[in-house]
Amino acid sequence: MASKVTVLVCGGINVDRFFKVNRLPHKGETLLGKSMFNGVGGKAANTAVACSKLGADTSFIGAFGDDSYTETLENALKTHNVCTQTAYRLKGSGIPCGQAYIFSLPDGDNSIIVVPAANAAWPLKLNELQMSTLKQSDCILLQREVPEIYNIRIAQVAKQYGITVMLDMGGEDTKISPQLLQFVDILSPNESELHRLIHFFLPPKMPTETGFAKFSAMKKIKKACIALQQYNKNLCVLLKRGENGALFIDGQGNVIQQQAMKVSQSAIQDTTGAGDTFLGAFAVEYIRQCKLANIWKHPASQGQPQPQNEQTRLQCIAYGMKFACVAAGLSIQTKGTIPSIPDLKDVVCTSLQHPI
């Protein structure tokens, strides 16, 4: 199919270990927990499953450790048709799979300890299969749950071959490397990540962090683009706004707003993976719409796309945002991160029945 989308998702995958407790222990204290269960998590793993369930041929670059959890993690991706042959396997290294220890309190708050382990122990180079898969992909999706040097390495190679790169700001909360920013096409923060982003890159004549809080989301995202254009004049920002939807702005100042899908408070079950679902859904639908309009450019594709019409490109972005808001809206109505991710049929049917 001409509209088939091929995506490569790179980043972390964890064993999520949930513990229900009445309170956290004090120093030197031992408490009995109420219950526990294991799941599969990590922003890259969640995003990869979202891309696959929403119709993309999806491959995953991450690292499986040298322990008994590798099979569990890999099967969780394979179950949803995510190709794991491109992942690193650290067999014999003694390095375990990444793990997150999540302590859930009665009031709904969580305390989390993340042990990166295999996620921070990738080999130094991309192998032949990874390189081949990257070159054939329409888009590379990155997150900040692995060391930044890994993202820089992949993004730099992607740009050498003209592949679109999208970066989710979630994960590490330190300043993004300007070297990485120059390779990114679409940067996607949530509102708290946007605030941090501008704090790190705030030019001297812009408002202080305290004064900045009063600005609207529109003004904030515009200032983000201004602050980041010194590193990448073509960088676009796709802001995830939760119940307020999404907001997009590109380097030319074009702005697109999309409201969220309306979900009653009583229907909300789990918002954990909504942002990962949103970006995966946006990437897949945006590219699919560009291909249907015959404006998608890929060096490895056969035939020549039509000359890109700016209005058509913006319309494809708007379609992608609407699709992503529906996917995210559906995801928060089911418990569990990966189990909550909707499939293509669910999103399309909901979009037709309840347009937003």
Side-chain angles (χ1 to χ4, degrees):
M1 293 174 58
S3 58
K4 189 66 178 177
V5 177
T6 305
V7 173
L8 176 61
V9 184
C10 311
I13 184 169
N14 299 318
V15 178
D16 284 350
R17 309 190 69 182
F18 294 86
F19 302 88
K20 285 193 173 183
V21 295
N22 288 323
R23 63 176 177 84
L24 297 176
H26 300 298
K27 183 178 180 180
E29 183 181 24
T30 299
L31 294 177
L32 292 178
K34 297 169 65 176
S35 64
M36 69 164 289
F37 67 93
N38 292 339
V40 176
K43 293 184 71 63
N46 300 337
T47 305
V49 170
C51 290
S52 181
K53 292 188 73 172
L54 295 169
D57 284 343
T58 308
S59 297
F60 173 75
I61 292 182
F64 298 120
D66 183 24
D67 61 23
S68 59
Y69 290 112
T70 288
E71 185 176 358
T72 299
L73 297 182
E74 188 165 14
N75 284 342
L77 297 182
K78 284 183 174 180
T79 297
H80 297 290
N81 299 313
V82 176
C83 175
T84 61
Q85 293 180 341
T86 45
Y88 295 110
R89 288 165 174 76
L90 307 183
K91 188 173 182 179
S93 68
I95 300 171
C97 292
Q99 298 195 33
Y101 296 82
I102 304 161
F103 299 90
S104 299
L105 302 171
D107 62 2
D109 281 341
N110 292 324
S111 292
I112 303 173
I113 298 173
V114 177
V115 182
N119 293 323
W122 293 12
L124 295 177
K125 295 182 179 180
L126 295 172
N127 60 41
E128 186 175 338
L129 179 59
Q130 290 168 340
M131 284 291 294
S132 174
T133 303
L134 187 155
K135 292 177 187 178
Q136 295 172 27
S137 298
D138 291 307
C139 179
I140 310 299
L141 286 167
L142 306 174
Q143 301 78 29
R144 302 195 72 210
E145 289 188 334
V146 295
E148 191 117 299
I149 188 64
Y150 301 166
N151 283 335
I152 292 173
R153 179 194 313 162
I154 292 168
Q156 185 173 19
V157 174
K159 296 318 294 179
Q160 289 174 357
Y161 291 96
I163 311 299
T164 297
V165 176
M166 300 186 191
L167 173 64
D168 191 314
M169 278 279 292
E172 181 61 59
D173 62 359
T174 57
K175 182 177 181 179
I176 296 181
S177 162
Q179 185 181 2
L180 176 58
L181 284 174
Q182 67 178 315
F183 302 128
V184 174
D185 295 289
I186 297 178
L187 184 69
S188 185
N190 60 28
E191 292 193 281
S192 62
E193 291 159 354
L194 178 70
H195 194 106
R196 278 202 308 270
L197 180 70
I198 300 178
H199 172 66
F200 285 132
F201 291 96
L202 202 63
K205 293 184 180 180
M206 281 191 174
T208 62
E209 182 177 2
T210 303
F212 185 74
K214 67 182 180 182
F215 287 118
S216 67
M218 179 70 74
K219 288 185 178 179
K220 288 179 182 179
I221 195 171
K222 286 183 176 179
K223 289 181 182 298
C225 280
I226 292 171
L228 297 173
Q229 278 179 345
Q230 59 183 312
Y231 306 105
N232 182 345
K233 66 179 182 179
N234 295 316
L235 182 68
C236 303
V237 178
L238 176 62
L239 178 63
K240 300 184 286 280
R241 304 188 64 210
E243 64 181 11
N244 294 314
L247 187 59
F248 173 91
I249 186 168
D250 63 17
Q252 289 73 49
N254 295 303
V255 175
I256 301 172
Q257 298 187 67
Q258 174 60 52
Q259 65 183 11
M261 175 180 168
K262 292 182 179 179
V263 180
S264 67
Q265 194 63 37
S266 61
I268 298 175
Q269 298 290 321
D270 187 352
T271 62
T272 306
D276 303 333
T277 298
F278 175 90
L279 190 58
F282 169 79
V284 173
E285 186 63 11
Y286 165 53
I287 296 169
R288 183 157 48 217
Q289 291 296 329
C290 285
K291 289 193 171 189
L292 288 170
N294 197 27
I295 63 168
W296 187 253
K297 296 180 180 179
H298 189 289
S301 63
Q302 294 182 350
Q304 292 296 319
Q306 296 290 333
Q308 192 169 105
N309 178 286
E310 184 68 1
Q311 194 58 43
T312 303
R313 181 185 71 89
L314 294 174
Q315 188 65 59
C316 291
I317 292 169
Y319 283 139
M321 292 171 67
K322 182 177 292 189
F323 183 88
C325 281
V326 172
L330 289 172
S331 76
I332 65 176
Q333 298 180 61
T334 303
K335 288 185 177 180
T337 305
I338 287 180
S340 73
I341 298 170
D343 61 22
L344 180 59
K345 181 180 178 181
D346 291 334
V347 178
V348 172
C349 289
T350 302
S351 298
L352 293 174
Q353 295 170 4
H354 306 284
I356 59 175

